Amino acid sequence: MGKVTGFLEYDRQEQKYQLAGERVRHFREFTLPLDDNDLKKQAGRCMDCGIPFCHGPTGCPVHNQIPDWNDLVWQNDWEEASRNLHSTNNFPEFTGRICPAPCEEACTLNLENQPVTIKTIEQAIADKAWEMGWIKPEPADVSTGKRVAVIGSGPAGLAAAQQLARAGHEVHVFERQAKPGGLLRYGIPDFKMEKYHIDRRVKQMEAEGVTFHCGVNIGVNKTFASLHNEFDAVLFAGGAEDPRNPNLPGQDLAGVHFAMPYLTQSNKRVNSEEVTEEPVLAGGKHVVVIGGGDTASDCVGTAFRQGALSVTQLDIRPKPPEREDKLTVWPYWPTKMRTSSSQAEGAEREFQAATLGIEGKKGRVVGVRCARVDEKRQPIPGTEFILKADLVFLAIGFAGSVKEGLLEQSGVEMDRRGNVVANERDYRTSSEKVFVAGDMRRGQSLVVWAIREGRQAARSIDTFLTGSSVLPR
């Protein structure tokens, strides 16, 4: 694929970033794209490796045909590359920006730590497709007369809704927030993905026949029973948003917040939406973020852009090695030292650090009491220390979907992890004509996994409604 000797002739070249001192002054995207000639060379590095792990189950959940569209970019056939990419991924401009790229970890060239810049090329193909006007609405030729309700407009809900509309069903998407997008709009900061990417996809889907109902919280201001009676099938795609609660001493002090409400408020403010909650702003404050994942990193970047004096991130895990043992791990996702763009903007990172409690004065947080931990993550006596803090964010993951409202009213079976029970063959829940996809089924995961599950659930619903389906699995 590509240029036979390209991986020998061309070095790996990634997108560069605006300097940290410049990008923290705004919330816009800050990547500096490669030009078409450089992108062609990067695509030409894709080798004829025999077994392309990049698009197998270890590399790409939606099974993007990566060697194929790399070859098409090498040949300057960008339009066909776009068609190929969209055949497996409804929203490549999303994943090209926010996916951690397990495909690159699975790339054969990663055995030499020089994987093909797959994520960069994917974003470039999608962006060029929009720029050139190749992405157009694809309404169904024939209507099935069947009506489907999709609850939640995150990546799983959007992918399922688009697939079902193209199959000829009447699709209605219910979103409790003021605008569609779910996690994409309200959880992911604009500096990682600006929201016009979502807006133009919504317009495309509306032109394909999808109807969006925003400000409708099923189970709260509209009962599940009434929805269930109105539609031939219902898809739960509401995400896993119930935060894991550490119940720390002092957690009720002013200035201690869960991460997702903070990010949601910031995203609303950046995009000129109404913020009704008490403002949570990091300007002029010492910030401590508890947690080592993507949500924690997003809090770090947001706090810096709001003018935080300092940001410290606590991770209970040991500091990982700079590089993994390829022969032990490849092509699977490895544990190794990773520094996000937000962390590179000046965050202090503390590894093997457990949070023992929150210190306060006069009802407000003033510090975080910590200790080093052993290999069993138990605090080591005598290693306690206190970090100064005016603002603390809890970002230690999610405990499944919110139970009150929709899930209680629907009566669907739940597992002990707080997820709705359904398998990957048909995505059917224990409730009649109710399906589930994305984080609501599998727990917190990647956007690309949500898109995969939304697409697969759409095929299952289509089969349920019509007896067969031509939608891809």
Side-chain angles (χ1 to χ4, degrees), residues 93-111:
E93 70 273 28
F94 298 173
T95 51
R97 284 170 167 80
I98 58 180
C99 184
C103 52
E104 294 190 18
E105 296 292 349
C107 176
T108 302
L109 287 176
N110 191 40
L111 287 167

Side-chain angles (χ1 to χ4, degrees), residues 103-391:
C103 52
E104 294 190 18
E105 296 292 349
C107 176
T108 302
L109 287 176
N110 191 40
L111 287 167
E112 296 294 327
N113 298 300
Q114 293 292 315
V116 175
T117 52
I118 299 167
K119 179 177 174 179
T120 295
I121 298 166
E122 178 180 18
Q123 178 185 332
I125 294 170
D127 289 350
K128 185 176 284 290
W130 279 108
E131 177 189 344
M132 301 301 293
W134 298 331
I135 298 175
K136 296 182 173 68
E138 300 175 30
D141 294 329
V142 179
S143 172
T144 65
K146 301 293 186 179
R147 304 177 78 234
V148 183
V150 177
I151 302 173
S153 64
L158 290 177
Q162 185 165 63
Q163 295 294 94
L164 287 164
R166 290 176 175 178
H169 305 300
E170 180 185 332
V171 182
H172 293 257
V173 178
F174 295 86
E175 169 58 50
R176 69 177 186 183
Q177 295 281 7
K179 295 182 179 180
L183 174 78
L184 297 166
R185 185 180 298 276
Y186 294 103
I188 294 171
D190 280 54
F191 56 80
K192 290 176 72 173
M193 188 178 81
E194 294 180 43
K195 304 312 176 235
Y196 72 86
H197 298 292
I198 304 168
D199 295 336
R200 61 189 181 185
R201 281 295 181 184
V202 169
K203 288 182 180 177
Q204 179 196 30
M205 292 172 65
E206 288 175 334
E208 293 170 345
V210 177
T211 302
F212 289 89
H213 305 269
C214 294
V216 182
N217 192 347
I218 307 300
V220 177
N221 56 16
K222 182 178 177 65
T223 66
F224 169 74
S226 66
L227 185 84
H228 192 260
N229 291 334
E230 292 174 26
F231 291 89
D232 299 298
V234 178
L235 175 66
F236 287 2
E241 57 186 345
D242 193 14
R244 186 172 288 123
N245 192 338
N247 292 310
L248 295 169
Q251 189 175 310
D252 57 347
L253 289 165
V256 181
H257 306 272
F258 285 108
M260 195 53 68
Y262 169 63
L263 294 174
T264 298
Q265 184 184 118
S266 174
N267 285 332
K268 286 182 176 180
R269 187 179 294 111
V270 168
N271 288 281
S272 302
E273 289 190 46
E274 182 182 7
V275 177
T276 57
E277 307 86 359
E278 180 182 350
V280 180
L281 296 164
K285 296 177 181 176
H286 297 282
V287 178
V288 173
V289 181
I290 300 172
D294 290 337
T295 302
S297 178
D298 291 345
C299 288
V300 170
T302 300
F304 277 130
R305 281 158 182 76
Q306 291 180 348
L309 292 178
S310 69
V311 182
T312 305
Q313 187 176 355
L314 300 176
D315 194 333
I316 200 169
R317 300 169 296 183
K319 186 175 181 179
E322 289 295 327
R323 287 190 177 176
E324 73 276 22
D325 181 349
K326 302 289 186 185
L327 298 182
T328 302
V329 181
W330 183 87
Y332 297 96
W333 182 259
T335 298
K336 64 179 179 181
M337 188 64 177
R338 303 174 192 274
T339 301
S340 71
S341 59
S342 293
Q343 291 163 339
E345 289 162 3
E348 293 290 331
R349 302 171 70 182
E350 295 281 354
F351 291 96
Q352 282 186 279
T355 305
L356 305 180
I358 312 294
E359 304 284 321
K361 286 184 181 178
K362 297 181 180 180
R364 286 204 62 85
V365 60
V366 296
V368 179
R369 185 159 44 88
C370 311
R372 301 297 173 192
V373 296
D374 58 23
E375 64 275 5
K376 295 182 179 180
R377 298 188 177 182
Q378 297 302 308
I380 301 172
T383 64
E384 293 82 3
F385 61 98
I386 293 178
L387 293 171
K388 183 177 181 180
D390 307 305
L391 202 55

